[in-house]
Amino acid sequence: MSDQAKEIEALPPTLQDFKAPELPDNKPVLFFHPYNFHAQKVLMVFYEKKIDFFPYVVDLCNGEQYSNWFLNLNPKGDVPVLQDGAFVIPSSTHIINYVESKFRGGAHCSLKPAHNSKEFDQMLILEQAISRLPVGTLSLGSFIHDDLKLVPKAPFIGPVRQSCLKNNEKVLELLRHSVDDRSTNKAALQHKLDIQVRRHELASSREEFQKVLDAVRHFLLYVEQELSAQAPRSEWLTGDELSIADISLGLLLHRLYQLGFENYYWAFGKLPQVEAYFLRFRQRESFHRLQPSNFAILREMWMRTPGNYKLGAGAGFLGMAMFAAFAHK
């Protein structure tokens, strides 16, 4: 094994003793991670609805989601989770339904069309279709299969990609340790472990990963047809107002863009309606609030960069990293 490979290789993982944080009791608390797809969706809903909340970033890389205090909130060890007084709501779907019901009227816009309407049914169809797409598998596989010749964006560039792969293995080991150590909620964590192992298998197999890529392509072709059928009547999927389905689709496109799939799927006239839609989506104020700062991107890249790159090729890599970070939109 080369010195660089040894440097990138993760250390044997151990579960840290995370203490329960002190949190405010006068506003909802959202437990999330800024690069988690489902957490991003909830964050954008909060920003669109102008909800005052306290953000708490869970340290997923070091296994805080498997600490005792967090498993008491969500036995599955997943983010996002919302705590609103005595209510604890896990999963993005349940959180969005909760805030849509509680925060209505005045400054709080509705992100769902009227019930029993054609637009509402259309929103549900699109939401269900997006929820079936394995975004985690898509992200992981993009780091593995170099033959795709993707053009990834910060922070998923350079040696950070290999570091992300090693970190995925580390988190799997932390989950295994958590399953072994827990005397309660074993079933929920074991189910999550089974899903994570299956995800890794799908992402690692080029043949299986191609099926994932094809599923995304078929969905985007469907979206292209839907947008073409309504253009130029409305800007968004179900009308003139942004809906939950738009947030899901827009963030899916953004994840694909970050991973470098835009040329693979929609650029250069492949899907012009999808491309124009993504450009509109990126103009939303809530989308800009969702994006980490240039400094945060650079810090994330630096933290994930193996030490030999920092000391050896650090100047060249960091020059590239800084350019990518400060060019980030």
Side-chain angles (χ1 to χ4, degrees):
M1 182 182 294
S2 69
D3 291 340
Q4 286 189 350
K6 289 178 181 178
E7 188 71 38
I8 292 175
E9 188 175 23
L11 294 173
T14 56
L15 277 170
Q16 296 185 24
D17 183 22
F18 287 97
K19 302 299 183 183
E22 295 184 8
L23 302 167
D25 55 9
N26 60 343
K27 63 177 65 176
V29 178
L30 181 65
F31 303 91
F32 73 104
H33 189 277
Y35 288 109
N36 177 272
F37 178 77
H38 300 287
Q40 288 178 338
K41 181 177 173 181
V42 171
L43 273 173
M44 192 162 176
V45 167
F46 276 46
Y47 293 148
E48 284 285 338
K49 294 182 70 68
K50 296 179 171 58
I51 297 173
D52 182 27
F53 69 101
F54 181 84
Y56 182 88
V57 177
V58 179
D59 186 355
L60 301 184
C61 296
N62 289 307
E64 188 175 13
Q65 69 273 36
Y66 306 129
S67 62
N68 288 328
W69 79 263
F70 190 81
L71 288 175
N72 287 335
L73 283 177
N74 184 6
K76 294 182 178 180
D78 287 333
V79 294
V81 176
L82 178 67
Q83 185 172 13
D84 187 16
F87 295 101
V88 176
I89 306 100
S91 94
S92 58
T93 300
H94 293 150
I95 293 171
I96 291 169
N97 288 338
Y98 175 81
V99 299
E100 268 291 290
S101 176
K102 178 175 179 178
F103 298 95
R104 295 184 296 176
H108 306 302
C109 66
S110 176
L111 294 171
K112 292 184 179 182
H115 284 258
N116 301 320
S117 67
K118 176 184 175 182
E119 291 76 15
F120 184 83
D121 293 340
Q122 185 181 14
M123 181 200 70
L124 288 181
I125 291 171
L126 289 164
E127 271 287 277
Q128 290 169 2
I130 295 172
S131 69
R132 295 191 188 101
L133 297 175
V135 177
T137 303
L138 190 68
S139 301
L140 183 60
S142 74
F143 299 149
I144 297 173
H145 303 291
D146 294 332
D147 63 293
L148 292 168
K149 300 187 184 306
L150 304 176
V151 188
K153 317 299 183 298
F156 306 119
I157 61 176
V160 176
R161 296 167 67 81
Q162 289 301 314
S163 181
C164 285
L165 285 174
K166 291 298 180 183
N167 187 71
N168 181 261
E169 296 173 7
K170 171 186 173 182
V171 172
L172 270 177
E173 285 304 309
L174 288 175
L175 179 52
R176 289 190 179 99
H177 290 177
S178 185
V179 170
D180 292 340
D181 294 343
R182 295 289 293 182
S183 58
T184 58
N185 299 323
K186 265 186 177 293
L189 290 176
Q190 183 63 53
H191 179 66
K192 180 175 181 177
L193 177 60
D194 294 342
I195 292 174
Q196 295 293 323
V197 170
R198 177 56 179 158
R199 185 185 78 169
H200 193 274
E201 291 172 350
L202 289 174
S204 300
S205 165
R206 186 62 180 86
E207 181 180 356
E208 292 299 316
F209 187 62
Q210 187 60 49
K211 294 177 183 178
V212 174
L213 297 178
D214 291 343
V216 174
R217 185 188 301 280
H218 292 150
F219 171 72
L220 293 180
L221 285 170
Y222 169 75
V223 171
E224 178 75 10
Q225 293 171 355
E226 289 293 304
L227 292 172
S228 298
Q230 70 174 22
R233 287 185 292 116
S234 58
E235 287 193 331
W236 306 110
L237 291 172
T238 61
D240 294 324
E241 302 297 330
L242 194 83
S243 74
I244 299 295
D246 291 297
I247 291 176
S248 296
L249 174 60
L251 291 177
L252 172 65
L253 294 175
H254 180 60
R255 176 57 61 93
L256 291 171
Y257 173 78
Q258 282 189 309
L259 296 173
F261 279 107
E262 71 274 19
N263 294 343
Y264 187 89
Y265 282 123
W266 67 76
F268 305 111
K270 292 185 180 75
L271 298 175
Q273 294 292 339
V274 168
E275 185 172 17
Y277 175 94
F278 181 47
L279 292 175
R280 289 196 300 274
F281 180 80
R282 293 179 69 185
Q283 300 304 310
R284 302 290 296 190
E285 179 186 353
S286 59
F287 175 78
H288 286 284
R289 291 185 65 187
L290 191 67
Q291 304 312 306
S293 67
N294 294 326
F295 174 78
I297 293 172
L298 187 57
R299 181 180 60 186
E300 179 80 8
M301 293 173 71
W302 179 254
M303 289 175 63
R304 288 180 178 272
T305 300
N308 60 308
Y309 281 94
K310 292 177 181 176
L311 297 175
F317 173 70
L318 274 186
M320 176 181 68
M322 290 180 69
F323 174 81
F326 286 94
H328 182 75
K329 301 295 184 181

